[in-house]
Amino acid sequence: MSTKCGEGLLNGAVPSEATKKDENLKRGNWGNQIEFVLTSVGYAVGLGNVWRFPYLCYRNGGGAFMFPYFIMLIFCGIPLFFMELSFGQFASQGCLGVWRVSPIFKGVGYGMMVVSTYIGIYYNVVICIAFYYFFASMNRVLPWTYCNNLWNTNNCAGVLSPNSSASFNLSSQQNLLNLTLGLNQTLKRTSPSEEYWRRHVLKISEDIGDFGEVQLPLLGCLGVSWLVVFLCLIRGVKSSGKVVYFTATFPYVVLTILFIRGITLEGAINGILYYLTPQWDKILHAKVWGDAASQIFYSLGCAWGGLITMASYNKFHNNCYRDSIIISITNCATSVYAGFVIFSILGFMATHLGVDVSEVADHGPGLAFVAYPEALTLLPISPLWSILFFFMLILLGLGTQFCLLETLVTAIVDEIGSDWIIRWKTLVTLGVAIIGFLLGIPLTTRAGIYWLLLMDNYAASFSLVIISCIMCIAVMYIYGHRNYFKDIEMMLGFPPPLFFQICWRFISPAIIFFILIFTVIQYRPIKYNDYIYPDWALTIGFLMALSSVICIPLYAIFKIWHSEGDTFLQKLKNAVKPSKDWGPALLEHRTGRYAQMSSSNCENNPEAQPLNPEKMKDDLSLTIPGSNGQAHTQDSKV
């Protein structure tokens, strides 16, 4: 009976309490498993699903691109997703704490933190621009509809004139086509939406070094973005887990509304056919397979640290194998579904302009803030569709941003681990949010878009591939695949399927290496429209990319230097082997080989200490005299 009580106290159970919501009272758990799945879906399904995948699909052979895309999902995406979820769930630690499995590789965790920092800074700037367009859409007429504004130039040629409506006759279409062709032959035609984007929203400068003044409207929207993120994470996963019921599901409502509206428009079928018509000859091109592998890898958020962090709040025996399949397939299905939404509207726009779909198709900010908004001006009640579209972008961005911020906060709190830092985790979240806001201010200047794209292209590119590859090697070959498979069997009740064992050991690392080689071969210096980045800016980009990767060898050197041993080999051996406190966080889960480890290290292992010391004191006072005159603690049901 005393043994049961001791175990209950050590994992935070309260005597006489039949059930408890959290296994781990020190860190907390998700309220239920739906919250974890929705949060992970919101994390994986982001802006790239809407503004990158459809463009890659039509550029790489339409429907034929789906074949390599789903091949890469099966052999690389789902296995890596499952590995990161199981890694974080088994140890109940963030991206730093999990490297007790092999402390020499803790630099991988720091690299993940650096990457998440970069992405979190510029990602929230994109969200703030979506907020700006969202507020700007609350007008009777969208401000980028016509060319009669103060920011427009003589080169502006709109689809509509101020005295026309969205529905115009064939002769007006022909006149518009003649006007457009004439302008293209004499001047460079710019659309009202493009001039609104460049000359009003961004007020873009001529050079990346010409920062100019801060755009106060964007700065205000950036503050709103960070405030929303902080409020949603004010209680960690307890609050964000409730918010995702809306932020992770409502984008699908908006996508469905826009899809139904889109397919009812004239010319929509042309856009969808352009999106899906297979060009099977392109399957033989290595670039198509490289784009498919890269999109799967970056879309799922592998090596960012977010998957490990979110899974660390799961209960120990949660079936993360099932979750990884559900979330991965949902992510990819969303990408395909978003393609129908995007290209149905672009097909409608191309029909009205009398041009090919390829001339209006775009990706990235060009699609979200220029091409698609211009297409929306052609619809009746265009402000309504615009509000829905940008609200969807905001929610998609927030779902990813929640996990990026929580990754950083969890890593800091787990690393310090004191009762004070856990009690005041909200202040840590606030501090990280304020720092993120301050670091994002330069991106709201006139040169901000240049820096945003520089960070997007370099800060989270090949560095993620290197981090993921080293993680696979460390877990499968340094810690040992047999040990890891036994850990998963202890956690889930069954070993990972043979397919995943083969993928983790051979196929997935090979695909990751292929992505790295492909990224290097396909590298082209970044440019924004006609602007070519100077060499000093590209150097900064490479330094940002290296800043995350360099954490790995630097920490390895540091760890070897401070490890026990008289010779280098002894130090290396001690730095590589798992820490004494590696394993499940709670004593009730430390069975098998971890049971012996926990019994000898109970006093030194902070995770094995009582998770609620105050409650333990109260519980110890609830003693009853035994028949032999000794005091026995009351039994507690775990």
Side-chain angles (χ1 to χ4, degrees):
M1 184 179 295
S2 61
T3 302
K4 290 182 180 180
C5 182
E7 290 178 351
L9 291 171
L10 285 171
N11 67 41
V14 181
S16 74
E17 182 176 298
T19 59
K20 56 183 174 57
K21 292 184 179 180
D22 291 342
E23 281 184 342
N24 192 330
L25 292 184
K26 185 175 181 180
R27 297 181 83 251
N29 298 107
W30 296 104
N32 56 64
Q33 215 46 42
I34 296 178
E35 293 181 7
F36 166 68
V37 172
L38 290 178
T39 300
S40 299
V41 168
Y43 171 67
V45 177
L47 298 173
N49 297 71
V50 174
W51 74 20
R52 177 169 168 80
F53 173 81
Y55 176 81
L56 283 179
C57 191
Y58 100 81
R59 192 183 71 177
N60 288 306
F65 180 72
M66 302 290 183
F67 179 74
Y69 182 72
F70 284 105
I71 289 292
M72 292 300 176
L73 170 66
I74 294 171
F75 288 97
C76 183
I78 296 178
L80 288 178
F81 206 91
F82 180 28
M83 173 181 282
E84 292 201 27
L85 291 190
S86 59
F87 199 19
Q89 180 175 308
F90 181 79
S92 297
Q93 289 288 307
C95 61
L96 290 181
V98 292
W99 290 106
R100 295 169 182 171
V101 69
S102 186
I104 195 174
F105 291 103
K106 192 174 182 179
V108 174
Y110 284 110
M112 290 177 173
M113 287 185 65
V114 172
V115 169
S116 292
T117 301
Y118 285 136
I119 298 175
I121 291 171
Y122 77 79
Y123 213 83
N124 228 12
V125 174
V126 177
I127 297 173
C128 95
I129 298 174
F131 265 114
Y132 184 94
Y133 272 79
F134 175 75
F135 295 136
S137 301
M138 296 179 182
N139 290 291
R140 291 185 59 192
V141 178
L142 295 176
W144 55 85
T145 303
Y146 305 123
C147 290
N148 59 348
N149 303 288
L150 295 176
W151 56 82
N152 292 125
T153 66
N154 294 329
N155 295 342
C156 181
V159 177
L160 301 173
S161 64
N163 297 323
S164 68
S165 62
S167 56
F168 43 91
N169 56 36
L170 184 61
S171 62
S172 63
Q173 291 186 43
Q174 188 62 45
N175 292 336
L176 174 62
L177 178 59
N178 294 336
L179 173 63
T180 304
L181 293 174
L183 283 170
N184 286 336
Q185 293 172 357
T186 56
L187 300 171
K188 180 175 174 59
R189 181 258 177 184
T190 56
S191 65
S193 61
E194 183 177 355
E195 294 199 347
Y196 180 79
W197 163 247
R198 293 176 61 88
R199 296 174 57 84
H200 182 68
V201 178
L202 302 178
K203 296 182 181 177
I204 189 170
S205 62
E206 297 296 325
D207 185 73
I208 188 173
D210 181 12
F211 283 91
E213 68 279 1
V214 172
Q215 305 301 310
L216 294 181
L218 288 182
L219 182 63
C221 290
L222 181 62
V224 170
S225 300
W226 277 109
L227 179 62
V228 170
V229 173
F230 167 70
L231 292 177
C232 292
L233 287 174
I234 194 168
R235 294 181 58 239
V237 296
K238 293 299 182 184
S239 54
S240 65
K242 303 299 183 290
V243 174
V244 294
Y245 280 106
F246 178 73
T247 59
T249 57
F250 194 72
Y252 291 96
V253 176
V254 178
L255 277 174
T256 302
I257 294 173
L258 293 175
F259 171 71
I260 295 173
R261 184 68 187 99
I263 60 175
T264 60
L265 298 172
E266 178 188 2
I269 189 64
N270 296 331
I272 293 175
L273 289 176
Y274 198 88
Y275 167 54
L276 288 180
T277 300
Q279 302 173 39
W280 295 107
D281 58 304
K282 288 194 174 184
I283 287 187
L284 301 177
H285 298 172
K287 187 177 185 306
V288 174
W289 289 85
D291 280 345
S294 299
Q295 176 63 16
I296 284 291
F297 184 82
Y298 295 121
S299 176
L300 289 174
C302 298
W304 292 14
L307 298 177
I308 294 175
T309 301
M310 295 302 105
S312 72
Y313 293 102
N314 278 334
K315 294 183 178 180
F316 184 74
H317 293 298
N318 169 64
N319 190 347
C320 57
Y321 167 65
R322 171 203 61 203
D323 296 341
S324 62
I325 295 176
I326 293 174
I327 298 166
S328 300
I329 293 178
T330 301
N331 172 72
C332 295
T334 304
S335 298
V336 176
Y337 187 38
F340 287 94
V341 176
I342 297 299
F343 274 90
S344 61
I345 297 290
L346 294 182
F348 164 71
M349 181 180 177
T351 299
H352 273 273
L353 290 176
V355 298
D356 191 72
V357 177
S358 61
E359 296 187 30
V360 297
D362 204 347
H363 67 106
L367 171 66
F369 302 117
V370 178
Y372 204 85
E374 183 178 16
L376 293 177
T377 62
L378 300 173
L379 300 177
I381 328 177
S382 56
L384 171 63
W385 309 114
S386 183
I387 289 173
L388 286 175
F389 176 71
F390 288 111
F391 189 53
M392 178 189 70
L393 291 186
I394 291 170
L395 295 182
L396 289 175
L398 287 176
T400 302
Q401 191 68 17
F402 291 159
C403 296
L404 291 171
L405 183 59
E406 185 63 39
T407 297
L408 298 175
V409 173
T410 296
I412 295 171
V413 172
D414 285 350
E415 185 67 9
I416 298 175
S418 66
D419 292 337
W420 182 91
I421 199 75
I422 294 172
R423 187 180 303 113
W424 296 103
K425 182 179 177 181
T426 300
L427 292 182
V428 179
T429 306
L430 178 61
V432 174
I434 292 175
I435 293 173
F437 169 75
L438 295 176
L439 293 176
I441 291 178
L443 302 185
T444 62
T445 62
R446 296 181 62 187
I449 189 64
Y450 298 124
W451 290 99
L452 189 151
L453 293 175
L454 186 71
M455 295 178 72
D456 184 38
N457 281 270
Y458 289 92
S461 56
F462 72 87
S463 56
L464 283 176
V465 184
I466 295 175
I467 289 172
S468 184
C469 188
I470 294 177
M471 184 179 70
C472 284
I473 294 172
V475 174
M476 289 293 107
Y477 295 98
I478 305 301
Y479 177 60
H481 63 277
R482 290 186 179 88
N483 289 333
Y484 195 66
F485 297 160
K486 290 178 182 177
D487 290 343
I488 292 181
E489 184 174 7
M490 184 175 75
M491 179 173 64
L492 301 183
F494 57 89
L498 179 62
F499 171 78
F500 285 89
Q501 297 182 23
I502 296 174
C503 284
W504 286 345
R505 295 183 62 193
F506 308 110
I507 300 177
S508 297
I511 293 177
I512 295 173
F513 185 73
F514 164 71
I515 297 174
L516 178 61
I517 299 300
F518 171 79
T519 303
V520 173
I521 294 176
Q522 292 293 321
Y523 171 75
R524 298 290 183 276
I526 182 179
K527 65 177 184 177
Y528 177 59
N529 292 337
D530 296 328
Y531 176 76
I532 299 176
Y533 280 67
D535 291 338
W536 64 265
L538 297 178
T539 302
I540 292 177
F542 279 112
L543 290 177
M544 283 192 292
L546 290 174
S547 63
S548 57
V549 177
I550 200 67
C551 294
I552 302 173
L554 288 181
Y555 188 85
I557 295 172
F558 169 82
K559 187 63 182 178
I560 293 173
W561 182 266
H562 288 84
S563 294
E564 298 178 354
D566 298 326
T567 65
F568 174 78
L569 289 179
Q570 289 177 343
K571 288 177 174 287
L572 178 62
K573 182 179 179 180
N574 289 328
V576 167
K577 69 180 183 181
S579 300
K580 295 179 180 179
D581 53 356
W582 161 250
L586 304 182
L587 284 184
E588 64 184 82
H589 299 139
R590 296 179 76 89
T591 59
R593 68 180 186 275
Y594 294 106
Q596 300 175 354
M597 191 183 303
S598 61
S599 63
S600 61
N601 295 287
C602 183
E603 295 297 327
N604 299 323
N605 181 7
E607 289 301 324
Q609 299 304 312
L611 297 179
N612 197 328
E614 292 80 5
K615 195 168 291 181
M616 180 181 179
K617 294 177 182 178
D618 295 338
D619 295 337
L620 289 177
S621 65
L622 298 175
T623 58
I624 56 176
S627 58
N628 58 1
Q630 295 178 342
H632 293 276
T633 53
Q634 293 180 355
D635 195 7
S636 63
K637 185 175 181 180
V638 179

